[in-house]
Amino acid sequence: MFTPAPMSEINLFIQDRDIQSVTVALIRMGLLQLETDTQVDQSATDWSGLANSYSSQVSRLRGFLETLGIPPQPLQAGDEADIRADLSRGMEAVHAVEGTITRWQARLAEAQQGQERLSLLIEQLRLLAPVQIPIEQLAGFRILYLVAGTMPSQNLGRIQTALFRIPFVILPIHEFGDRVLVFAATTHEHTPILDRALHSALFETIPLPQDLSGLPADVLTDLEAQRARAVQRIQGLEQERRQLADEWKERLLIAWNRARVDVLLADTMRRFPRQGRIYVISGWTPADKVQVLVDGVNEASAGRAVIEVIDPDIMRARAPTLLRNPPFFRVFEQFVTAFGYPAYNELDPTSLLAVSFLLMYGMMFGDIGHGLLLAAGGAWLFFRHGGQRQTAMLLLSAGASGLFFGLLYGTAFGVDVLPALWVRPLDSITEILLAAILGGIVFLNIGFCLHLINTWRIHDWTHLFLDRNGLAGVWLYWALLGGGIALWQGLLSVSAWLLLVVPPFTLLFFQEPLRRWFSK
């Protein structure tokens, strides 16, 4: 738990006929971390073409699922996967459903466009409903330029004054709110002047329909009936979509899952180096899982694979880091890895960080009510959203810590409701500050110890002795802190205190030349 898992380097030599079954086995076991520095000409392999074809197939199938409203499912590796034969089977599924879905989409688009057109016409005619003039007469003037629209009521007199130089007609038809429906007309030669004046008066034009006839009110009633029938047609198409989803769901999900598995396999296999008919797969696996990996590869290749296992101590400098923490502590690994992974020979501080995080959080935000709310939110997230379980565990643990310290403080939502089992923060500020200082001293010295252990494990003697976090730094820290307290209490003389402080200070001051001298 406190150190990364020992890693062994694995080199697999796989024949061409076994590469797919071995790759599937490796993916299922999840024990091999592939080398990432291998350079391969991916464009020269047939797997690249298959990966691109399957990627396109995945996109098309996903589009069908979204169109039919079929929820996606997690990726599942099937035993029947055959990367070369699956492509044709997947295309059969695509072609079988594509025509049906395309025709349904065309009918839906036509119905939606018709509904949108009817809605636009209804909005236009709703304003013209008070007019008792047939629409074809309003739109059929040849000598006069006629325009209909709405404008603010207070601008009606202003525009009539502005148009006194040209022949015009402004007919207010109907008022609604602070706007008025008007018809404006003039001769065609004076059209630009009328349009400019209307624009300055905040006039909003209502287009006159060219393909309708009859009184606006009568036409409006007919259009609303047509729109109701269009809505019913769209509802019928929605019912048809649900029937198509029920009919094609299983086949589409199987094809989509198989295509995703195959694109993953093809994309993985095109990255493997190849010499003739032999593939080379290199990577790392935990030392205690080597035999499981070897057995799995031998079973997948019928014993034809050649497997080379290199002892972890030999390749220690190149080995990647695999953290191994209990499930409760894994949620806190993100705080450690945010600053970088511990080196292969370094200690893993995740468990210590988890304990310190929960202690500090509880001390700062200890409250029974707030802790319960936070824990309840974490529990809800854990059971309702499986993909957010790490966040849920973090909220649960933080809420439990806040609840525990809330019991020690006796507070709920900032109110004292219980007798304090430890202290009340607002009444005991000095005790809280002393606890924080002591906690800081403890955590700082834990950091010193971790650094000393890490440098000792990797045999970095100069950092072990001369670094500011090494023995010289620890010596100076305690000489200043402990010696200063002893000096203040009269338990140590000034000369004795200086004898404690000067040597580590000198070592740290000259640490660079001393390092160079030690390393020759």
Side-chain angles (χ1 to χ4, degrees):
M1 181 174 71
F2 294 103
T3 58
M7 304 291 285
S8 296
E9 187 175 22
I10 306 292
N11 294 317
L12 307 176
F13 301 89
I14 310 298
Q15 297 182 25
D16 179 79
R17 58 177 173 171
D18 299 324
I19 187 62
Q20 180 177 326
S21 59
V22 170
T23 304
V24 172
L26 291 175
I27 292 175
R28 282 210 185 95
M29 289 185 289
L31 297 176
L32 187 68
Q33 178 179 326
L34 297 176
E35 292 278 11
T36 58
D37 57 352
T38 304
Q39 299 296 324
V40 184
D41 183 10
Q42 299 177 8
S43 62
T45 66
D46 55 348
W47 302 121
S48 299
L50 285 171
N52 294 332
S53 298
Y54 276 116
S55 180
S56 174
Q57 192 176 106
V58 166
S59 298
R60 295 175 70 180
L61 290 168
R62 183 174 58 245
F64 295 155
L65 292 173
E66 292 174 353
T67 299
L68 297 180
I70 300 174
Q73 293 182 349
L75 182 65
Q76 298 177 355
D79 296 330
E80 74 284 359
D82 185 345
I83 192 167
R84 289 187 170 90
D86 286 347
L87 185 61
S88 59
R89 289 200 293 263
M91 292 307 299
E92 290 176 3
V94 169
H95 293 321
V97 73
E98 188 171 31
T100 302
I101 293 180
T102 301
R103 288 190 295 270
W104 177 84
Q105 285 178 314
R107 286 186 287 133
L108 178 64
E110 181 183 357
Q112 290 176 337
Q113 290 174 1
Q115 182 192 7
E116 291 175 0
R117 177 179 178 276
L118 289 170
S119 298
L120 180 61
L121 288 174
I122 288 171
E123 292 301 321
Q124 295 172 355
L125 290 176
R126 187 169 285 131
L127 296 174
L128 296 174
V131 179
Q132 298 299 314
I133 302 175
I135 295 174
E136 66 271 17
Q137 294 184 13
L138 293 174
F141 287 105
R142 297 291 181 267
I143 300 175
L144 293 179
Y145 169 71
L146 177 67
V147 62
T150 63
M151 63 189 308
S153 302
Q154 65 269 21
N155 292 344
L156 188 59
R158 185 189 311 167
I159 192 172
Q160 292 176 343
T161 303
L163 295 173
F164 74 95
R165 293 185 178 180
I166 65 171
F168 73 95
V169 175
I170 300 290
L171 295 177
I173 303 299
H174 178 69
E175 285 196 40
F176 49 96
D178 59 347
R179 299 184 72 84
V180 60
L181 171 66
V182 300
F183 283 93
T186 187
T187 59
H188 284 287
E189 60 185 280
H190 296 105
T191 296
I193 299 176
L194 178 63
D195 286 340
R196 285 196 298 269
L198 291 173
H199 180 72
S200 64
L202 305 179
F203 182 83
E204 295 182 2
T205 304
I206 301 175
L208 295 174
Q210 301 294 324
D211 55 348
L212 300 177
S213 62
L215 295 177
D218 297 336
V219 175
L220 179 61
T221 302
D222 182 59
L223 290 178
E224 287 177 340
Q226 293 182 38
R227 183 170 66 172
R229 289 193 295 271
V231 171
Q232 291 179 352
R233 185 184 177 192
I234 292 175
Q235 291 174 348
L237 288 170
E238 178 62 22
Q239 177 64 28
E240 185 178 340
R241 181 196 64 78
R242 289 192 289 268
Q243 293 175 354
L244 289 173
D246 293 338
E247 178 183 353
W248 290 96
K249 177 179 179 180
E250 183 176 358
R251 186 173 180 182
L252 285 177
L253 285 175
I254 290 175
W256 186 53
N257 184 79
R258 182 181 292 123
R260 287 189 297 163
V261 171
D262 289 333
V263 75
L264 176 62
L265 288 174
D267 188 64
T268 301
M269 288 186 290
R270 72 176 179 176
R271 302 175 189 276
F272 294 152
R274 178 179 180 179
Q275 183 65 37
R277 301 177 62 86
I278 301 298
Y279 288 85
V280 180
I281 305 176
S282 298
W284 299 86
T285 192
D288 58 346
K289 300 292 184 182
V290 169
Q291 192 58 47
V292 176
L293 181 70
V294 170
D295 293 341
V297 171
N298 282 328
E299 180 181 357
S301 63
R304 289 185 291 268
V306 177
I307 304 174
E308 179 185 24
V309 181
I310 301 178
D311 187 79
D313 290 333
I314 298 176
M315 304 302 297
R316 180 172 300 224
R318 294 178 50 229
T321 299
L322 175 64
L323 304 181
R324 47 179 182 178
N325 290 294
F328 175 76
F329 289 135
R330 286 175 194 161
V331 65
F332 296 95
E333 289 180 358
Q334 56 187 315
F335 297 109
V336 174
T337 57
F339 297 94
Y341 280 84
Y344 182 74
N345 291 316
E346 292 181 342
L347 294 177
D348 177 12
T350 301
S351 55
L352 293 174
L353 183 143
V355 173
S356 62
F357 172 85
L358 294 177
L359 284 175
M360 289 190 289
Y361 184 89
M363 288 185 65
M364 292 188 292
F365 302 103
D367 186 278
I368 297 173
H370 295 156
L372 285 174
L373 287 178
L374 198 60
W380 177 83
L381 195 63
F382 183 86
F383 291 107
R384 293 295 299 273
H385 297 275
Q388 300 291 329
R389 291 198 169 183
Q390 281 199 336
T391 304
M393 289 298 298
L394 181 62
L395 293 177
L396 275 170
S397 55
S401 177
L403 173 62
F404 174 74
F405 277 88
L407 292 172
L408 295 181
Y409 298 155
T411 60
F413 298 110
V415 180
D416 298 335
V417 296
L418 295 174
L421 299 179
W422 179 26
V423 293
R424 296 202 185 277
L426 294 180
D427 299 334
S428 308
I429 296 178
T430 303
E431 289 84 349
I432 293 293
L433 290 176
L434 287 175
I437 293 172
L438 291 175
I441 294 174
V442 171
F443 289 130
L444 187 61
N445 282 273
I446 290 175
F448 284 144
C449 292
L450 290 177
H451 182 77
L452 294 175
I453 295 173
N454 285 336
T455 52
W456 176 75
R457 284 169 59 88
I458 63 177
H459 302 158
D460 188 354
W461 307 121
T462 56
H463 281 85
L464 175 63
F465 290 102
L466 301 176
D467 190 73
R468 60 187 178 89
N469 294 316
L471 290 174
V474 176
W475 182 359
L476 180 61
Y477 175 82
W478 280 107
L480 292 172
L481 180 62
I485 294 175
L487 183 65
W488 175 50
Q489 293 293 329
L491 303 175
L492 195 68
S493 63
V494 175
S495 57
W497 180 70
L498 289 175
L499 288 175
L500 291 174
V501 171
V502 171
F505 180 81
T506 304
L507 289 174
L508 291 175
F509 186 81
F510 292 103
Q511 61 176 309
E512 189 60 31
L514 288 173
R515 280 179 187 169
R516 294 178 179 273
W517 181 71
F518 283 138
S519 60
K520 300 181 181 179

